[in-house]
Amino acid sequence: MAEIVLSVEDVSYSYASMDEEDVKALKNVSFDVERGSFVAIIGHNGSGKSTLAKLLNGLFLPKEGRVLVLGMDTQDEDLTWQIRQNAGLVFQNPDNQLVTTIVEEDVAFGLENLGILPADIRVRVDEALEAVGMEAFAMAAPHMLSGGQKQRIAIAGILAMQPQILIFDESTAMLDPMGRREVLSAVRKLQQTKDLTVLWITHFMDEAAQADRVIVMDGGRIVMDDTPQQIFRRADELEQIALDVPMSVKIAREMQKNGVELDCVPIGMQALAEAVCRLK
Ligand SMILES: Nc1ncnc2c1ncn2[C@@H]1O[C@H](COP(=O)(O)OP(=O)(O)OP(=O)(O)O)[C@@H](O)[C@H]1O
Ligand SMILES: [Mg+2]
């Protein structure tokens, strides 16, 4: 059994409202995350994904239940900095995350605030830029970069803090298909080579299909939590909560309607091609 790096225990969260009842955004949510895993979180608009993301690094505190980051309770104010440093949160729009006029200064920004020595900052910035494949752009101006490149710089800024857990809240939503693939593959590589734990919130089912595990949210609750194979088998149930399945699964379903049965639920185009080749 791998080490648990993140524990969400019976967490509820509500937003205060002036004129109506409070909005219950999360209701009794519980799950654990193992070190080194890549977990996708899906759910339609308003299902509670972003609220959950902000609870995972202590930006929000649970109204009920508790969140443990590497065993540290997010309610403990003395641990807030340590928790934020270990659980980095990357948002949707890279423009809101870049603050200076030179890429390497941007990546160094958080470190200066942490009081890291200049020589160490140099090493960490170089390593972080290399990790996202942006070392050639160290002296570039962030506003001159493409969306995908900017997002990779934002990720480098978080990586430089050397977190053990990375949480991405629709971080590829603003990118074109190429930029999306770039960022996701950079993150996957980091997860595998540096044993980072990744939580990947997305509306793209093809991205969720690449995860080790998929958590499905609906109305502030977790309604499914399983491998992509098991989750995307349940296409009809997903449809009822306004969710889609990956393209490869859609094609397999269309084939089935036309009388061609594959021997598996193909997750990804490669798996689909292989299943088709196995047909007699
Ligand atoms: N600042 C806020 N004040 C009041 N209610 C909020 C606030 N932020 C979110 N909510 C409500 O909480 C619920 C969950 O919102 P949340 O942003 O977590 O959903 P989400 O799954 O991230 O949605 P999306 O896919 O649109 O990003 C929704 O009903 C939403 O309207
Ligand atoms: Mg959201």
Side-chain angles (χ1 to χ4, degrees):
M1 181 78 181
E3 180 199 349
I4 301 295
V5 288
L6 202 55
S7 268
V8 176
E9 298 174 351
D10 209 15
V11 164
S12 296
Y13 189 87
S14 49
Y15 292 98
S17 169
M18 304 286 264
D19 32 64
E20 304 156 53
E21 243 180 276
D22 289 358
V23 183
K24 265 212 146 200
L26 289 180
K27 300 165 191 160
N28 305 95
V29 170
S30 294
F31 63 99
D32 287 333
V33 178
E34 290 182 358
R35 181 180 293 281
S37 57
F38 190 106
V39 182
I41 302 177
I42 59 175
H44 62 81
N45 294 131
S47 56
K49 305 179 299 297
S50 295
T51 306
L52 177 61
K54 289 173 191 145
L55 279 149
L56 295 180
N57 80 338
L59 211 55
F60 287 178
L61 297 176
K63 308 274 168 171
E64 285 166 48
R66 56 176 197 165
V67 175
L68 301 179
V69 177
L70 301 168
M72 297 180 280
D73 192 330
T74 58
Q75 297 281 10
D76 188 340
E77 283 173 22
D78 295 335
L79 299 173
T80 302
W81 255 114
Q82 230 176 312
I83 288 169
R84 298 262 171 91
Q85 207 181 314
N86 275 295
L89 187 48
V90 181
F91 294 101
Q92 190 177 92
N93 188 348
D95 289 320
N96 297 340
Q97 302 171 69
L98 303 177
V99 283
T100 73
T101 52
I102 303 173
V103 162
E104 63 173 25
E105 280 180 11
D106 222 288
V107 177
F109 188 76
L111 298 179
E112 281 158 12
N113 291 339
L114 279 182
I116 310 278
L117 295 172
D120 294 335
I121 290 183
R122 180 76 262 161
V123 174
R124 285 204 198 187
V125 168
D126 290 344
E127 277 179 3
L129 283 171
E130 205 186 311
V132 295
M134 288 295 287
E135 61 273 38
F137 295 85
M139 301 308 291
H143 70 271
M144 303 287 280
L145 302 176
S146 75
Q149 290 171 330
K150 278 189 218 169
Q151 193 57 287
R152 285 193 280 163
I153 298 303
I155 295 169
I158 304 268
L159 282 178
M161 317 260 278
Q162 300 183 340
Q164 301 187 44
I165 304 162
L166 288 173
I167 304 147
F168 295 88
D169 189 359
E170 293 192 53
S171 308
T172 58
M174 318 259 300
L175 310 180
D176 62 16
M178 179 79 140
R180 279 213 321 265
R181 274 198 299 274
E182 258 176 33
V183 170
L184 180 57
S185 79
V187 170
R188 272 244 79 139
K189 200 165 139 223
L190 286 166
Q191 176 241 340
Q192 282 156 2
T193 55
K194 296 193 185 278
D195 208 23
L196 288 177
T197 306
V198 174
L199 278 87
W200 187 266
I201 297 172
T202 184
H203 279 288
F204 295 105
M205 297 305 128
D206 291 296
E207 292 184 354
Q210 294 176 46
D212 303 320
R213 170 182 171 195
V214 180
I215 291 178
V216 183
M217 300 200 57
D218 183 44
R221 295 181 197 277
I222 292 181
V223 292
M224 299 182 202
D225 181 353
D226 215 324
T227 59
Q229 280 78 9
Q230 294 303 325
I231 296 285
F232 292 121
R233 213 173 258 287
R234 302 163 70 177
D236 294 330
E237 283 168 74
L238 290 171
E239 202 175 318
Q240 280 171 17
I241 53 171
L243 290 176
D244 216 346
V245 292
M247 183 55 78
S248 57
V249 179
K250 255 189 228 171
I251 294 172
R253 279 165 67 82
E254 287 304 318
M255 289 174 69
Q256 192 187 29
K257 280 184 205 158
N258 287 286
V260 182
E261 194 83 41
L262 296 178
D263 61 4
C264 67
V265 178
I267 303 297
M269 288 302 173
Q270 174 85 24
L272 175 64
E274 286 168 7
V276 169
C277 289
R278 281 194 299 272
L279 289 170
K280 297 258 162 41

